[in-house]
Short mmCIF file of all heavy atoms in Angstrom, two decimals:
data_model
loop_
_atom_site.label_atom_id
_atom_site.label_comp_id
_atom_site.label_asym_id
_atom_site.label_seq_id
_atom_site.Cartn_x
_atom_site.Cartn_y
_atom_site.Cartn_z
N LEU B 91 -11.75 -5.49 -7.82
CA LEU B 91 -10.38 -6.11 -7.77
C LEU B 91 -9.31 -5.02 -7.68
O LEU B 91 -8.14 -5.31 -7.20
CB LEU B 91 -10.17 -6.97 -9.04
CG LEU B 91 -11.06 -8.22 -9.04
CD1 LEU B 91 -10.86 -8.89 -10.42
CD2 LEU B 91 -10.60 -9.17 -7.90
N LEU B 92 -9.60 -3.81 -7.99
CA LEU B 92 -8.66 -2.72 -7.90
C LEU B 92 -8.29 -2.46 -6.44
O LEU B 92 -7.23 -1.90 -6.18
CB LEU B 92 -9.26 -1.40 -8.50
CG LEU B 92 -9.49 -1.37 -10.01
CD1 LEU B 92 -10.23 -0.15 -10.41
CD2 LEU B 92 -8.17 -1.46 -10.71
N VAL B 93 -9.11 -2.84 -5.50
CA VAL B 93 -8.81 -2.58 -4.10
C VAL B 93 -7.83 -3.67 -3.51
O VAL B 93 -7.31 -3.49 -2.42
CB VAL B 93 -10.06 -2.51 -3.16
CG1 VAL B 93 -10.99 -1.40 -3.66
CG2 VAL B 93 -10.77 -3.79 -3.02
N VAL B 94 -7.66 -4.74 -4.27
CA VAL B 94 -6.79 -5.85 -3.71
C VAL B 94 -5.35 -5.34 -3.27
O VAL B 94 -4.95 -5.67 -2.24
CB VAL B 94 -6.76 -6.99 -4.69
CG1 VAL B 94 -5.67 -8.05 -4.25
CG2 VAL B 94 -8.12 -7.68 -4.81
N PRO B 95 -4.65 -4.56 -4.11
CA PRO B 95 -3.36 -4.05 -3.70
C PRO B 95 -3.44 -3.22 -2.45
O PRO B 95 -2.63 -3.30 -1.52
CB PRO B 95 -2.89 -3.20 -4.85
CG PRO B 95 -3.59 -3.78 -6.07
CD PRO B 95 -4.95 -4.17 -5.54
N GLY B 96 -4.51 -2.40 -2.31
CA GLY B 96 -4.72 -1.63 -1.11
C GLY B 96 -4.94 -2.43 0.12
O GLY B 96 -4.41 -2.21 1.24
N VAL B 97 -5.74 -3.55 -0.04
CA VAL B 97 -6.01 -4.47 1.06
C VAL B 97 -4.68 -5.13 1.47
O VAL B 97 -4.42 -5.24 2.69
CB VAL B 97 -7.10 -5.51 0.66
CG1 VAL B 97 -7.17 -6.56 1.70
CG2 VAL B 97 -8.43 -4.83 0.49
N LEU B 98 -3.91 -5.65 0.52
CA LEU B 98 -2.70 -6.27 0.77
C LEU B 98 -1.73 -5.28 1.51
O LEU B 98 -1.04 -5.71 2.45
CB LEU B 98 -2.01 -6.84 -0.44
CG LEU B 98 -2.69 -8.03 -1.12
CD1 LEU B 98 -2.10 -8.39 -2.45
CD2 LEU B 98 -2.72 -9.19 -0.14
N SER B 99 -1.70 -4.09 1.04
CA SER B 99 -0.84 -3.06 1.65
C SER B 99 -1.28 -2.88 3.12
O SER B 99 -0.47 -2.74 4.02
CB SER B 99 -0.89 -1.74 0.94
OG SER B 99 -0.11 -0.78 1.59
N LEU B 100 -2.61 -2.74 3.35
CA LEU B 100 -3.09 -2.58 4.71
C LEU B 100 -2.78 -3.70 5.61
O LEU B 100 -2.35 -3.61 6.80
CB LEU B 100 -4.68 -2.32 4.69
CG LEU B 100 -5.09 -0.96 4.23
CD1 LEU B 100 -6.62 -1.06 3.93
CD2 LEU B 100 -4.78 0.07 5.32
N LEU B 101 -2.92 -4.91 5.09
CA LEU B 101 -2.65 -6.14 5.83
C LEU B 101 -1.15 -6.25 6.19
O LEU B 101 -0.85 -6.65 7.37
CB LEU B 101 -3.13 -7.41 5.10
CG LEU B 101 -4.55 -7.72 5.05
CD1 LEU B 101 -4.87 -8.81 4.05
CD2 LEU B 101 -5.07 -8.07 6.45
N LEU B 102 -0.37 -5.97 5.24
CA LEU B 102 1.12 -6.25 5.46
C LEU B 102 1.87 -5.05 5.96
O LEU B 102 2.81 -5.24 6.74
CB LEU B 102 1.72 -6.70 4.14
CG LEU B 102 1.12 -7.98 3.49
CD1 LEU B 102 1.73 -8.23 2.12
CD2 LEU B 102 1.34 -9.19 4.43
N PHE B 103 1.46 -3.85 5.56
CA PHE B 103 2.26 -2.70 5.88
C PHE B 103 1.44 -1.50 6.36
O PHE B 103 1.91 -0.41 6.40
CB PHE B 103 3.07 -2.13 4.65
CG PHE B 103 3.82 -3.28 3.98
CD1 PHE B 103 3.35 -3.73 2.68
CD2 PHE B 103 4.91 -3.87 4.56
CE1 PHE B 103 4.12 -4.73 2.02
CE2 PHE B 103 5.60 -4.79 3.93
CZ PHE B 103 5.20 -5.31 2.65
N GLY B 104 0.20 -1.73 6.78
CA GLY B 104 -0.69 -0.65 7.22
C GLY B 104 -0.10 0.19 8.30
O GLY B 104 -0.33 1.41 8.37
N HIS B 105 0.72 -0.39 9.20
CA HIS B 105 1.28 0.34 10.28
C HIS B 105 2.30 1.36 9.78
O HIS B 105 2.69 2.28 10.43
CB HIS B 105 1.92 -0.56 11.34
CG HIS B 105 3.02 -1.43 10.75
ND1 HIS B 105 2.78 -2.47 9.87
CD2 HIS B 105 4.35 -1.32 10.89
CE1 HIS B 105 3.91 -3.05 9.53
NE2 HIS B 105 4.89 -2.40 10.16
N LYS B 106 2.76 1.18 8.52
CA LYS B 106 3.76 2.10 7.90
C LYS B 106 3.08 2.95 6.84
O LYS B 106 3.45 4.16 6.69
CB LYS B 106 4.88 1.34 7.26
CG LYS B 106 5.75 0.49 8.23
CD LYS B 106 6.85 -0.22 7.46
CE LYS B 106 7.68 -1.03 8.36
NZ LYS B 106 8.66 -1.82 7.59
N THR B 107 2.18 2.40 6.13
CA THR B 107 1.57 3.21 5.06
C THR B 107 0.43 4.15 5.47
O THR B 107 0.20 5.09 4.78
CB THR B 107 1.06 2.29 3.91
OG1 THR B 107 0.06 1.43 4.42
CG2 THR B 107 2.19 1.52 3.23
N MET B 108 -0.15 3.82 6.56
CA MET B 108 -1.33 4.66 7.04
C MET B 108 -1.18 4.84 8.53
O MET B 108 -2.06 4.57 9.30
CB MET B 108 -2.63 4.09 6.65
CG MET B 108 -2.99 4.22 5.25
SD MET B 108 -4.64 3.85 5.05
CE MET B 108 -4.59 3.40 3.34
N VAL B 109 -0.09 5.43 8.98
CA VAL B 109 0.16 5.64 10.43
C VAL B 109 -0.89 6.53 11.05
O VAL B 109 -1.14 6.60 12.29
CB VAL B 109 1.60 6.17 10.71
CG1 VAL B 109 2.59 5.07 10.28
CG2 VAL B 109 1.85 7.45 10.00
N GLU B 110 -1.52 7.42 10.18
CA GLU B 110 -2.55 8.37 10.67
C GLU B 110 -3.90 7.72 11.09
O GLU B 110 -4.68 8.35 11.79
CB GLU B 110 -2.90 9.44 9.61
CG GLU B 110 -1.65 10.19 9.06
CD GLU B 110 -0.84 9.50 8.00
OE1 GLU B 110 -1.29 8.45 7.52
OE2 GLU B 110 0.16 10.01 7.63
N VAL B 111 -4.04 6.51 10.63
CA VAL B 111 -5.29 5.78 10.97
C VAL B 111 -4.98 4.77 12.03
O VAL B 111 -4.10 3.92 11.88
CB VAL B 111 -5.77 5.05 9.62
CG1 VAL B 111 -7.06 4.31 9.95
CG2 VAL B 111 -5.98 6.06 8.52
N PRO B 112 -5.80 4.78 13.18
CA PRO B 112 -5.53 3.82 14.24
C PRO B 112 -5.69 2.43 13.83
O PRO B 112 -6.38 2.07 12.81
CB PRO B 112 -6.62 4.15 15.28
CG PRO B 112 -7.13 5.52 14.86
CD PRO B 112 -6.83 5.75 13.46
N ASN B 113 -5.11 1.49 14.53
CA ASN B 113 -5.10 0.03 14.24
C ASN B 113 -6.51 -0.44 14.04
O ASN B 113 -6.76 -1.18 13.05
CB ASN B 113 -4.43 -0.75 15.28
CG ASN B 113 -2.91 -0.63 15.22
OD1 ASN B 113 -2.38 -0.30 14.18
ND2 ASN B 113 -2.22 -0.93 16.35
N PHE B 114 -7.42 -0.17 14.96
CA PHE B 114 -8.85 -0.71 14.84
C PHE B 114 -9.49 -0.30 13.61
O PHE B 114 -10.24 -1.00 12.95
CB PHE B 114 -9.64 -0.43 16.12
CG PHE B 114 -10.14 1.03 16.15
CD1 PHE B 114 -11.31 1.43 15.73
CD2 PHE B 114 -9.28 2.01 16.73
CE1 PHE B 114 -11.76 2.76 15.74
CE2 PHE B 114 -9.71 3.30 16.86
CZ PHE B 114 -10.94 3.73 16.33
#
Side-chain angles (χ1 to χ4, degrees):
L91 290 173
L92 295 171
V93 303
V94 171
V97 171
L98 290 174
S99 176
L100 283 168
L101 282 171
L102 301 173
F103 309 109
H105 62 288
K106 293 179 183 178
T107 59
M108 284 193 207
V109 296
E110 302 85 5
V111 181
N113 285 339
F114 74 93

